[in-house]
Amino acid sequence: MASVTHNKTKKSRPFDLSLIPLATFLFLIGACENQEISSETLLKSPLSRESGKETATSVVSQFNPDYLQRDVRDDVFYFVLPDRFDNGDPSNDEGSKAIAISSGGFDPTSTGHYHGGDLKGLTHRIDYLKDMGVTAIWLTPILRNQAVQGDSAGYHGYWPVDFTEIDPHLGSNDELKTFIDTAHAKGIKVFFDIITNHTADVIKYRECHTPGKPLFSTSTQLCEYRSVAETKAGNGYTPFIPEGNENLKTPDWLNDPKYYHNQGDSTWEGENSLYGDFVGLDDIDTDNPVVVEKMIEVFSNLIAEFKPDGFRIDTVKHVNIEFWQAFVPAIQEFAKSQGIPNFFVFGEVYSGDTDVLSYYTREGKFPSVLDFAFNFKVRDVLVNNGGTHHLKELFDNDVKYFTETASPDLLMNFVSNHDVGRLGYALQQAFPEASDEELLKRMQLAHGLMFFARGIPVIYYGDEQGFTGDGGDRGAREDMMPSLTPSYNDNNLIGTAKTTADENFDKTHPLYQTFKHYASLYHQYPALRRGEYQVLYFEKEPGLFVFSRYLENDRNKYLVILNSASSNKSYQLPASWKAFDVVLGAVATLDQAIVIDGLSLAILKGSH
């Protein structure tokens, strides 16, 4: 075990329960039971001078219900695939009735096809999200896609062909505006997932594709990557567009092969990570200054028409850094000109390496990235049963993220997503004999850290209903509406007897209730979302992880105590903590030590 200290905080150490005579310990616990005093009351009685009483402070970062003026650090995000949420309009299930390339692909029994969810369904369910404390909804890409490529469909939105209109499987431009207006009226922001790296797989190469039969790269490379040097030497590919697809994309400039790299399929290593086709998807030449200008124009037009509150940007590390240096500031500046003062941009950099992640905040002008390092470290502790020192190692690297426009508290914390899969699945695989109660506790604990450590919490749709999935990618994209997909419906959900064959918008689900409570505390206490973050204690084995959060202009300080072990643990409070209240959880006290249950989280509030 180890501890970390700060100049303003005295060293803390764990309290050894073996030093307390068993009879004494049982007497204390028995006294609570006999007098019907809760462990929270036991905690408050000897230590808190004015338990439960609040005093007004001069905190300047109170939660702002005005979505337009609200700082993104006050938001609780909900990440959702519209196609897998709720079907508000079955008439659009097959997509476009006029544009063949965006028609079809509907098969709710398949994990790789459209299931019918749409913008009307999302609009209908906004109160379900608002009641859980969600203040920002992040949608997977919603622009018009090539509906079918090979043996699967573009339900996820990552195969765009038209950057000006909504995919007809999801609805119309007007229905998107209705959804955004409805969300805004309820104080909820809307974020678009956008793509600048590629379009749908339309361009083919004469050297490796059959002209008469379109082929798509999926799990294998159809067209081996050819390097920049090979291409410049005249040994590159000869691109062509199959007959009938010459004007498939919008804006029109996207139909010209000269605006693409055309170097074959990426293996995501070395230079081909930047210049290769992402599983065959047409890799846009973002090195070209004309492309930079036109891409800024494309996404400025989307901001002007729909007034979203920010962008999540896909496949960031597969685009040259110079593009981001121009694109990100330009987009934010344009949004301000449209009356969106806090337009927020965060990037998807698929890496657990903090040097790689922070490179895009330092050099790429991104205010934030999805914190894959957070995701991986949380799994190290709660899935792989590692020591809590993994979390300390994570937060030690936060210094890398500080720039004029970025900081660690802008990082996007998540424990599940549509690529890495659901935390629930990972837990079931790691603990096949675990009870539902244990899995539920681990889910609650992981999400508690997601909410109350530095960074912005991102709930992955369905986690609040105990979804588990079948792994990453398609396996983690179940339906909230009643599902017809056999491979989803045979999963054991956490915290409920339901399956995905049922409708899963249950506000009484224990995880929904937990996230709702977390969100309430997150919004109630500014220090828990904006406060300075200081690690106080960690261990080299499953056990305690303790950190404090505080704001300089707030007389209160908060201790967040996580116990990843299955057994109870005790923690010797810093000497300055003579009086405090319990904000979250239940703990018992023994002198200056507290005892916290296994697999649980507690938050204490004291003055400093």
Side-chain angles (χ1 to χ4, degrees):
M1 67 178 59
S3 64
V4 175
T5 59
H6 187 275
N7 292 336
K8 296 182 181 180
T9 306
K10 295 183 179 180
K11 185 175 181 180
S12 301
R13 59 180 176 81
F15 187 84
D16 189 350
L17 286 175
S18 67
L19 298 178
I20 305 172
L22 179 60
T24 302
F25 184 77
L26 292 176
F27 172 79
L28 289 169
I29 299 302
C32 291
E33 293 176 349
N34 292 338
Q35 297 179 38
E36 297 183 352
I37 300 175
S38 68
S39 57
E40 182 174 339
T41 304
L42 176 64
L43 178 145
K44 289 181 177 179
S45 298
L47 296 178
S48 181
R49 295 189 185 95
E50 295 185 73
S51 176
K53 293 185 179 180
E54 297 288 345
T55 302
T57 69
S58 59
V59 176
V60 297
S61 55
Q62 299 294 342
F63 178 75
N64 188 347
D66 181 355
Y67 77 92
L68 198 58
Q69 301 300 326
R70 186 169 62 242
D71 191 296
V72 71
R73 291 171 295 175
D74 296 347
D75 284 315
V76 173
F77 275 69
Y78 189 84
F79 172 38
V80 60
L81 279 78
D83 176 67
R84 302 298 169 87
F85 196 67
D86 197 23
N87 192 343
D89 183 6
S91 71
N92 62 29
D93 288 353
E94 291 286 355
S96 177
K97 296 177 174 60
I99 305 173
I101 201 71
S102 296
S103 176
F106 176 71
D107 181 357
T109 68
S110 165
T111 61
H113 289 77
Y114 288 97
H115 286 191
D118 50 34
L119 292 165
K120 280 189 175 180
L122 270 170
T123 305
H124 175 65
R125 297 290 183 177
I126 281 183
D127 283 341
Y128 165 84
L129 300 179
K130 181 177 175 60
D131 290 349
M132 191 167 59
V134 169
T135 62
I137 301 171
W138 155 26
L139 311 171
T140 47
I142 53 177
L143 296 176
R144 184 160 65 79
N145 266 223
Q146 180 160 274
V148 178
Q149 290 188 180
D151 63 351
S152 61
Y155 68 94
H156 42 66
Y158 292 102
W159 301 343
V161 292
D162 190 327
F163 287 73
T164 67
E165 71 175 20
I166 306 312
D167 192 290
H169 293 84
L170 303 180
S172 65
N173 285 20
D174 285 342
E175 285 168 345
L176 175 59
K177 292 173 184 176
T178 297
F179 167 69
I180 294 173
D181 289 346
T182 304
H184 283 170
K186 294 178 180 292
I188 297 175
K189 299 177 183 178
V190 175
F191 282 71
F192 290 175
D193 199 325
I194 69 165
I195 305 160
T196 66
N197 175 66
H198 59 263
T199 70
D201 185 357
V202 176
I203 297 173
K204 306 299 178 182
Y205 308 126
R206 298 197 182 280
E207 291 78 3
C208 56
H209 288 122
T210 303
K213 182 181 179 182
L215 299 174
F216 298 94
S217 297
T218 53
S219 58
T220 59
Q221 288 179 285
L222 287 178
C223 303
E224 185 176 345
Y225 179 77
R226 295 189 180 179
S227 70
V228 172
E230 288 176 296
T231 301
K232 285 184 176 179
N235 297 320
Y237 285 111
T238 307
F240 73 97
I241 298 177
E243 185 177 354
N245 290 345
E246 295 88 351
N247 299 302
L248 196 65
K249 300 175 186 178
T250 304
D252 185 63
W253 64 269
L254 286 168
N255 293 301
D256 192 334
K258 75 179 182 183
Y259 293 122
Y260 297 83
H261 285 123
N262 304 316
Q263 291 175 225
D265 293 329
S266 175
T267 64
W268 304 288
E269 295 179 357
E271 72 165 45
N272 74 48
S273 179
L274 289 176
Y275 305 123
D277 292 343
F278 198 100
V279 287
L281 299 168
D282 299 347
D283 194 73
I284 300 172
D285 182 6
T286 51
D287 303 86
N288 187 326
V290 175
V291 170
V292 177
E293 180 182 343
K294 289 182 178 295
M295 275 295 184
I296 291 172
E297 180 182 5
V298 163
F299 290 104
S300 294
N301 289 341
L302 283 180
I303 293 171
E305 181 173 2
F306 297 107
K307 301 295 191 297
D309 301 285
F311 289 157
R312 177 268 198 187
I313 304 183
D314 184 57
T315 50
V316 163
K317 69 178 183 178
H318 303 294
V319 174
N320 57 303
I321 198 71
E322 296 82 5
F323 177 85
W324 299 127
Q325 291 168 343
F327 182 85
V328 173
I331 285 298
Q332 290 186 299
E333 191 61 33
F334 180 81
K336 285 182 180 179
S337 75
Q338 296 296 300
I340 311 172
N342 295 310
F343 194 88
F344 183 63
V345 175
F346 60 101
E348 182 229 17
V349 181
Y350 200 143
S351 173
D353 186 334
T354 54
D355 286 334
V356 175
L357 292 170
S358 61
Y359 173 70
Y360 292 92
T361 61
R362 294 192 319 271
E363 302 296 332
K365 304 298 183 182
F366 276 88
S368 175
V369 293
L370 284 167
D371 196 351
F372 280 88
F374 175 90
N375 179 279
F376 298 158
K377 290 296 187 181
V378 167
R379 293 185 180 218
D380 281 343
V381 173
L382 291 171
V383 175
N384 301 328
N385 229 21
T388 58
H389 67 285
H390 289 292
L391 298 173
K392 189 261 184 185
E393 292 168 357
L394 169 71
F395 299 124
D396 278 351
N397 287 295
D398 279 357
V399 66
K400 299 175 183 177
Y401 295 99
F402 284 105
T403 71
E404 291 183 1
T405 57
S407 61
D409 59 357
L410 289 172
L411 293 170
M412 307 298 285
N413 294 341
F414 70 99
V415 299
S416 303
N417 80 3
H418 62 325
D419 289 327
V420 300
R422 294 190 184 275
L423 177 65
Y425 174 81
L427 289 171
Q428 287 181 336
Q429 296 301 301
F431 305 102
E433 303 302 321
S435 66
D436 189 64
E437 180 184 12
E438 178 182 341
L439 297 176
L440 183 62
K441 286 180 178 180
R442 289 183 182 273
M443 285 285 287
Q444 291 169 324
L445 199 53
H447 283 88
L449 190 64
M450 184 186 85
F451 267 86
F452 301 119
R454 64 49 179 159
I456 300 166
V458 182
I459 299 167
Y460 183 47
Y461 88 101
D463 271 10
E464 78 278 10
Q465 297 294 329
F467 281 16
T468 53
D470 297 302
D473 198 68
R474 295 183 187 182
R477 301 172 183 179
E478 307 98 307
D479 302 312
M480 296 282 283
M481 57 197 172
S483 178
L484 299 176
T485 313
S487 64
Y488 294 155
N489 293 344
D490 64 2
N491 295 334
N492 292 320
L493 309 190
I494 296 172
T496 179
K498 287 184 175 182
T499 73
T500 54
D502 300 301
E503 180 179 279
N504 282 280
F505 296 99
D506 181 7
K507 293 184 181 181
T508 69
H509 191 288
L511 286 170
Y512 181 99
Q513 287 294 312
T514 295
F515 299 170
K516 179 177 181 177
H517 187 47
Y518 286 169
S520 176
L521 295 176
Y522 186 77
H523 291 139
Q524 182 179 353
Y525 298 106
L528 293 179
R529 59 186 192 268
R530 302 250 207 127
E532 294 294 324
Y533 182 92
Q534 177 193 344
V535 176
L536 299 177
Y537 184 79
F538 60 92
E539 297 182 290
K540 291 283 189 179
E541 57 191 17
L544 296 179
F545 185 70
V546 183
F547 58 91
S548 66
R549 302 212 63 177
Y550 62 93
L551 291 167
E552 290 297 335
N553 58 350
D554 185 349
R555 69 173 178 83
N556 294 313
K557 191 171 187 176
Y558 300 81
L559 277 186
V560 181
I561 305 167
L562 174 151
N563 182 8
S564 68
S566 298
S567 58
N568 294 357
K569 292 281 185 176
S570 65
Y571 176 70
Q572 187 78 22
L573 290 169
S576 59
W577 282 72
K578 296 295 184 183
F580 56 85
D581 292 315
V582 178
V583 170
L584 175 70
V587 297
T589 60
L590 294 167
D591 296 325
Q592 191 66 13
I594 63 166
V595 181
I596 180 171
D597 289 344
L599 298 177
S600 66
L601 182 75
I603 301 178
L604 312 182
K605 179 180 72 173
S607 58
H608 72 105

